[in-house]
Amino acid sequence: MNKKRLKDLLFSNSFIIMVILGIIMIIIISVTENILFRHLYNSTIKGSIASISRYYNNGIKYLEFHSSNYEEILSETLDEAYSNYKKNNRQNIFSIPEIKFLKEKQIIKNVNYYIIDKNGIIIETDYTNDLGLNLSLRVPEYWRNLKKKLENDKKFIGKISFEVKTNNPRIYGYKVMENGNIFEVGLLLNEKNIPNFLKDISVIKFNFIEGIYTYNNSYIPFSSDYPLLDNEEKDIFSKLKYSDGEIKDYIIKEKSDGKKVYIYFKWRPSGDEKSFNFAALTKVEINFSDIVKVKNYLIYISMLVIGGFILIFAMVIGYNSRKVEKPLIRLIKNIENGKVEEVETNVLEIDTLIKYYSHLVTTLSKKISEEENELLNLKKKFEMIEKEKELLYDMALKDDLTKLFNKKGSIKVFQKIISNKESFCVIYISLDNYKSVLEQHGKNEANEMILELVGIIKKTIRDRDFVFRIGEEEFLIVLRYLNLEITQKILKRLVDFVKKFNITTDKVYKISISYGLLEYSGQDIESIFIDSKKRMKEMKDKKKELLRRLKNND
């Protein structure tokens, strides 16, 4: 037979009803707050997109104005350059005075010519970065429109655009040659004189927007401060349609349970403005974490208030119950809580039980206290042993000066990322002049140069990447989840940072490095070290050979 407590018999039904009502109220409050949050969420996204759309369309008007200022000069330059080209006068192909004047005034940086074959491939140019570029693949729609315009007019002056590889502002003119190829002239404009609204989009301030980043069709950012797109984001952009003028097609991606929202869309000028040969792949980062916190706080506060009412009701029940169950309830609670308290109930059996219970609890408490002290001492000893193990582990795997993993530590990392089947590239770096600085200026300057180089490397790579000091003057960088092409760009940025340091520093030394680049393709760990070091040595040998030749020439 199931026995029930007196308190349960008297008050259980009322207490259950209060709990059910409290749960219903919490559910109603949670649903209401989620509806309000979703309304704010949707309105923020729509408002952000509308603001960016207005900003882009206003920016095109300024770009249209600047384009008109260069069209007449470009038309004259195109005719003059084509005439000189036909005369085989490539040395003075751009001989009109206006071009020289604009260069001197730093209005334009450079002017270049291009020969484009019928398939859209640049087969000749004085701007070697674009040689071999296939316009029909890079900008297919613009290439089709250009061919149509040249079929009728044989000459076309475009509007200001941005280079595919560098995003530098340019304006192009085209003329059909006698053999059917296209002669093109491009003015490289000084970006200080051109309003690059795609680079300065951070001026837009809207609720909860944390960042707006723009990229061209080749996923090159319009600002070096913008993060590079990962493969997943590139796939998102590839699925999107272009929005002409007004942004209509976009994809929303949520992270961290809705606290972070990313909006992706592709915008380009509309209507007559389609003669502008560029598009803006835009990524908007919106941070709703503060709103989510407020929403959660409101839910927690509601739960606390409702829980408080239920608690008060329970206290009233307990108070009434104690009036009925006085001596027995007090005794049971003392036993349950392990308290040593002699309660006089005036019942011989119960008072005797309380005395025996008190003696038992006192004895057990003393024994438990002794064992706890012994356990505490053991715990302190174990903690000291663990600290010593951690110290010895760091000493074995880390470099004392830079606090980077040494070669032994790097092997541990390689074993981990290879077992995870990660793709990665490595850069083997040697500090060419370390020994000469050590001999001429001493250990302190040499160590300082090591730390400067480590700082430059850390500034160049991402948090997920690794850098190891595997020798006295040798380092190894591991770039995770990157292919060889992106790694080469990061390596170029590292080299640029080193050059900038050498130009701006007032130290007694300059930093000179040799490096070898290697993409992981299933090699074992030792082969990674050997192959990348071999490539580094090839570069170092070339530099030594170049210095030897220069000395012989002198």
Side-chain angles (χ1 to χ4, degrees), residues 111-335:
V111 56
N112 304 100
Y113 79 90
Y114 309 79
I115 306 298
I116 308 171
D117 69 11
K118 297 175 183 178
N119 296 319
I121 299 174
I122 297 175
I123 58 176
E124 182 182 340
T125 178
D126 60 348
Y127 185 60
T128 56
N129 286 354
D130 284 347
L131 186 62
L133 181 67
N134 192 333
L135 299 181
S136 66
L137 297 179
R138 276 296 176 94
V139 284
E141 186 173 352
Y142 182 79
W143 173 246
R144 289 193 296 269
N145 293 334
L146 176 63
K147 288 175 65 178
K148 288 180 181 179
K149 290 177 180 178
L150 291 176
E151 284 177 2
N152 299 324
D153 300 333
K154 305 301 180 184
K155 180 179 177 180
F156 171 66
I157 303 299
K159 298 183 183 297
I160 291 176
S161 181
F162 301 93
E163 288 185 343
V164 175
K165 294 182 178 178
T166 65
N167 283 326
N168 290 326
R170 274 186 179 266
I171 184 168
Y172 298 95
Y174 306 88
K175 193 178 186 73
V176 179
M177 302 172 67
E178 286 79 357
N179 60 3
N181 290 340
I182 298 172
F183 185 80
E184 176 187 359
V185 169
L187 297 182
L188 178 60
L189 308 177
N190 190 332
E191 60 182 8
K192 295 180 180 178
N193 301 319
I194 302 299
N196 191 342
F197 61 95
L198 298 175
K199 182 178 180 181
D200 301 329
I201 194 170
S202 59
V203 299
I204 294 181
K205 303 295 182 183
F206 200 78
N207 294 341
F208 314 117
I209 289 182
E210 197 165 85
I212 306 175
Y213 315 107
T214 52
Y215 308 83
N216 65 19
N217 283 324
S218 297
Y219 307 116
I220 306 299
F222 278 92
S223 172
S224 60
D225 295 330
Y226 295 167
L228 295 175
L229 296 172
D230 57 32
N231 291 331
E232 181 182 1
E233 292 174 319
K234 292 177 182 178
D235 289 340
I236 291 174
F237 277 120
S238 67
K239 297 174 185 176
L240 281 166
K241 296 180 180 179
Y242 285 100
S243 296
D244 295 331
E246 182 181 355
I247 301 167
K248 296 180 180 179
D249 189 25
Y250 53 87
I251 292 177
I252 299 173
K253 181 180 176 184
E254 293 185 357
K255 287 186 178 180
S256 303
D257 299 327
K259 294 180 182 179
K260 285 264 187 161
V261 174
Y262 296 90
I263 309 172
Y264 301 88
F265 56 85
K266 297 197 294 189
W267 175 91
R268 65 183 177 186
S270 63
D272 294 337
E273 297 163 349
K274 281 189 177 179
S275 54
F276 283 101
N277 176 28
F278 69 90
L281 279 61
T282 307
K283 169 185 172 183
V284 184
E285 182 180 353
I286 301 179
N287 190 344
F288 286 109
S289 58
D290 291 338
I291 296 300
V292 172
K293 286 181 182 178
V294 171
K295 182 188 73 171
N296 292 335
Y297 286 154
L298 290 175
I299 293 175
Y300 295 151
I301 291 171
S302 301
M303 293 174 64
L304 288 174
V305 171
I306 294 170
F309 281 118
I310 295 174
L311 180 62
I312 292 172
F313 187 76
M315 291 173 66
V316 172
I317 291 176
Y319 177 75
N320 292 329
S321 299
R322 283 192 294 274
K323 284 184 177 180
V324 178
E325 301 171 314
K326 272 186 181 179
L328 293 177
I329 292 296
R330 187 172 180 184
L331 173 61
I332 292 171
K333 284 188 176 181
N334 285 339
I335 295 174

Side-chain angles (χ1 to χ4, degrees), residues 23-37 295 298-300 302-303:
I23 293 172
I24 292 173
M25 290 178 65
I26 291 173
I27 293 173
I28 292 173
I29 292 171
S30 299
V31 171
T32 303
E33 289 180 353
N34 282 324
I35 292 172
L36 292 174
F37 172 76
K295 182 188 73 171
L298 290 175
I299 293 175
Y300 295 151
S302 301
M303 293 174 64

Side-chain angles (χ1 to χ4, degrees), residues 482-502:
L482 294 182
N483 58 25
L484 198 60
E485 181 182 356
I486 300 299
T487 302
Q488 288 172 338
K489 294 179 181 180
I490 294 174
L491 177 58
K492 182 180 180 302
R493 190 166 64 201
L494 172 62
V495 173
D496 290 342
F497 279 142
V498 171
K499 290 178 180 178
K500 182 178 179 181
F501 172 83
N502 289 336

